Amino acid sequence: MNSKLKKDLDALIKIGEARGSLRTYTVEQLLNDLGLNTDETFGEAVDYIENSKKMILIVDDEEEKRNVLDSSKIAILPKTLSVEAIVKRLKNNEINLDTEFQRKKSLWSPTVKSQLIESLMIQLPIPPMYFDGRDTNAWLVIDGLQRLCTLKEFIIEKRWKLKGLEYLPDYNNCSIEELPRVYQRRIEEAQISFYLILPDTPAEVKYSLFKRINTPGLRLEPQEIRHALYRGKAAELVRDLAENKLFIRATGESVPTERMQDREMVLRYLALHYMGIECYREETMDNYLNKTMEFLNRQDDRFIEECKELFFESIDCIYKIFGKKSFRRISKIKPNDLKPINTALFESWINAFADLTENQRNQLIEQGDKLIQLYVEELDKRSSFYNDIGSGKYRSFVRRNETIKKLIQEVLTGDK
């Protein structure tokens, strides 16, 4: 073991001594960042810590170990461009403002927009922006959409005039062309700082990064980030399924669409059906869904069409049986009460029906009352199933899917 690694491990040991323990994923993270994370080096590091006079306990937390991040793979380039250069990119559609995860453009009030322009006029810096640079001809906006929309509307489209200026109020009601040339020049020559996320940055690192750079109060939801990261067949498939009339009918138009909750619900089914239960064992839910998007993006058009067909057949069949109570808890005491849509029930029921043949689905439609009865009785027992449909734990994930499949088989076979 080289002396530098020993020095870093000694520092880690002191930290562990103060805390009373160290987790193995912390050691692995350090080795990742040093570029030394091999099985041999990891073993040596653990032995060194365990054999230290401090006698630090190494806690192996598998759940947290999943989150080990190799930060050496984060490739982000700090850059600056003049407003004039940014505007040229906007004019030539070389910056993509129509991002899947930023659904609403131009949310700022006229005063806030005007004060951004005023900052450029009086040479005040504005906050940096973030772009995904995977496509060099069309950067994807990650953070800075409102600032870019302001520049585009004021300089290119000339859609509004200045309003509510704090330091230069005499220029209220002026367009860019009406300003003295000194201020036009300051706006054009102002330098915009930004960070360009390079193509080599792994998708899971980008996902983690995107969650951290959103403006407080307007944070992106996980599915919105996924739609930014995994554009293509996956994003289009999830959108098409969530916006289809069969999904909307079966969920009673009660699943929010503004932050893509409906799309995440669909994706959870796709993950369960095509990636399987075992894939979730070693992953967080975020990573599980991310990998599903990656998988779907690699499939051909025929596979995507088959995905749609199977989804529509399954959800239509479920609605014919459960009607407006599809994917909801049903109370034996108050059977007419309409409970909220449950995501766990959605993914489990769709997946179970997707595994059936057409004849089996038709049989379940004919014996729908029996399936509903068995389902209500299972909920009424207040058994583990009742709790499992409200839990994100792996064991609950497995059990609830097994229970629903068991109920279906009882109807199909007549066994109890």
Side-chain angles (χ1 to χ4, degrees), residues 58 139 225 294 345 392:
I58 304 297
W139 292 347
I225 298 172
E294 290 179 349
L345 289 174

Side-chain angles (χ1 to χ4, degrees), residues 158-365:
K158 301 176 177 60
R159 288 173 53 183
W160 45 267
K161 296 187 176 185
L162 297 174
K163 175 183 179 181
L165 298 183
E166 184 177 0
Y167 298 106
L168 301 171
D170 285 347
Y171 296 112
N172 283 330
N173 298 316
C174 286
S175 66
I176 180 72
E177 295 170 333
E178 293 169 333
L179 293 175
R181 177 57 193 159
V182 61
Y183 294 122
Q184 292 182 30
R185 187 174 65 250
R186 284 185 178 181
I187 292 171
E188 294 167 356
E189 295 178 353
Q191 296 297 302
I192 304 292
S193 297
F194 63 93
Y195 294 94
L196 190 64
I197 301 169
L198 301 181
D200 290 340
T201 302
E204 64 270 19
V205 174
K206 291 179 183 177
Y207 180 85
S208 178
L209 178 64
F210 291 0
K211 289 196 296 185
R212 296 167 181 264
I213 64 176
N214 292 289
T215 305
L218 291 173
R219 295 189 66 82
L220 302 182
E221 293 298 323
Q223 189 60 30
E224 294 175 298
I225 298 172
R226 270 188 285 274
H227 271 260
L229 280 173
Y230 304 104
R231 290 171 294 163
K233 292 179 181 178
E236 292 168 5
L237 172 63
V238 171
R239 179 200 62 206
D240 290 347
L241 297 184
E243 293 181 354
N244 185 270
K245 62 182 181 181
L246 293 176
F247 172 86
I248 295 171
R249 180 188 67 174
T251 55
E253 298 183 70
S254 63
V255 181
T257 61
E258 291 80 5
R259 306 305 303 274
M260 298 191 182
Q261 294 97 318
D262 53 339
R263 301 189 193 189
E264 179 165 318
M265 183 181 291
V266 168
L267 181 59
R268 286 172 67 113
Y269 148 70
L270 293 170
L272 174 60
H273 191 72
Y274 294 103
M275 304 300 289
I277 286 178
E278 280 301 311
C279 181
Y280 180 47
R281 180 192 290 273
E282 302 299 329
E283 301 289 349
T284 62
M285 179 56 73
D286 273 348
N287 286 342
Y288 184 51
L289 298 181
N290 292 345
K291 287 190 174 183
T292 304
M293 295 288 280
E294 290 179 349
F295 166 80
L296 292 171
N297 269 340
R298 295 194 300 267
Q299 307 310 308
D300 58 27
D301 292 342
R302 180 178 179 181
F303 181 91
I304 297 299
E305 288 305 312
E306 289 174 352
C307 280
K308 291 182 181 181
E309 184 178 351
L310 183 58
F311 178 82
F312 295 145
E313 289 174 354
S314 301
I315 200 169
D316 185 49
C317 183
I318 291 169
Y319 183 77
K320 287 177 179 177
I321 296 171
F322 289 93
K324 63 182 181 180
K325 296 177 184 177
S326 301
F327 318 120
R328 305 171 191 263
R329 299 178 194 258
I330 303 176
S331 170
K332 189 174 183 179
I333 300 173
K334 298 180 179 180
N336 294 323
D337 281 2
L338 201 61
K339 306 292 185 184
I341 291 287
N342 181 286
T343 300
L345 289 174
F346 177 88
E347 68 192 32
S348 299
W349 277 113
I350 297 280
N351 180 60
F353 272 69
D355 283 339
L356 302 175
T357 66
E358 182 179 357
N359 288 337
Q360 288 174 322
R361 292 192 201 106
N362 289 333
Q363 183 180 342
L364 288 174
I365 292 173

Side-chain angles (χ1 to χ4, degrees), residues 349 352-353 356 364 404-412:
W349 277 113
F353 272 69
L356 302 175
L364 288 174
I404 286 177
K405 288 189 175 184
K406 180 173 70 72
L407 296 176
I408 288 173
Q409 286 305 310
E410 287 181 14
V411 175
L412 292 176

Side-chain angles (χ1 to χ4, degrees), residues 124-154:
L124 287 179
I126 64 175
M129 295 182 280
Y130 286 79
F131 297 102
D132 183 345
R134 284 179 293 177
D135 184 348
T136 56
N137 295 314
W139 292 347
L140 178 69
V141 182
I142 302 307
D143 188 59
L145 180 64
Q146 304 306 320
R147 279 160 278 172
L148 290 168
C149 287
T150 298
L151 295 176
K152 183 179 181 183
E153 292 171 2
F154 185 69

Side-chain angles (χ1 to χ4, degrees), residues 9 12 36 77 84 119 167 192 283 291 309 344 367 386:
L9 291 177
L12 199 58
L36 299 172
L77 183 65
E84 186 175 32
S119 294
Y167 298 106
I192 304 292
E283 301 289 349
K291 287 190 174 183
E309 184 178 351
Q367 297 181 273
Y386 189 90

